[in-house]
Amino acid sequence: MASWATPDDVLGSWIGEGAPDDENQVQTWIGKAEREIRFRVPGIQARVDAEALLDPPVTDLLDTAVDVVVAMVTRVFRNPEGIRQRNTT
C-alpha cells in the first residue's frame, strides 16, 4: 500500500528549530499515522484511490490526508513525551 505522505512533506512543513534529522524515523511515524487514519476512517483508502483516477480530482482528499499525517507526525516530534499540560506556577 502506497504511503500518502513522505518525510519531505513533514520536513518541508516544519516551522522553527528542532526538525528531525532521521528520515527513517519520520517514515516510521508516517506509517503509524496513516494506519491510524485508515483504522479510524474505514474506506478512506478506496476513496483516495478512486479520486486518483479522476482528472481533475473532484476533491482534495489526498492533500487533506497528507496534511493530517504531517500534523500528527509533527506533533510527535515536537512533544515526544506526550505531555498534555504544563503547569507554570
Side-chain angles (χ1 to χ4, degrees):
M1 184 173 304
S3 182
W4 300 330
T6 67
D8 286 341
D9 292 324
V10 174
L11 300 174
S13 68
W14 198 270
I15 297 173
E17 298 177 11
D21 56 5
D22 184 345
E23 286 193 14
N24 289 328
Q25 189 176 34
V26 173
Q27 186 60 55
T28 296
W29 282 97
I30 287 171
K32 291 179 180 196
E34 290 180 357
R35 284 190 299 277
E36 180 70 18
I37 293 169
R38 287 185 185 99
F39 175 76
R40 300 279 179 187
V41 186
I44 191 168
Q45 186 63 58
R47 291 171 51 200
V48 167
D49 293 344
E51 184 77 16
L53 298 175
L54 302 176
D55 186 29
V58 176
T59 69
D60 57 355
L61 180 61
L62 179 57
D63 291 337
T64 301
V66 170
D67 291 344
V68 172
V69 170
V70 167
M72 292 170 73
V73 172
T74 299
R75 195 173 311 124
V76 167
F77 281 95
R78 289 210 181 273
N79 185 13
E81 290 86 25
I83 297 171
R84 300 186 86 172
Q85 180 177 348
R86 184 180 307 175
N87 292 330
T88 55
T89 54

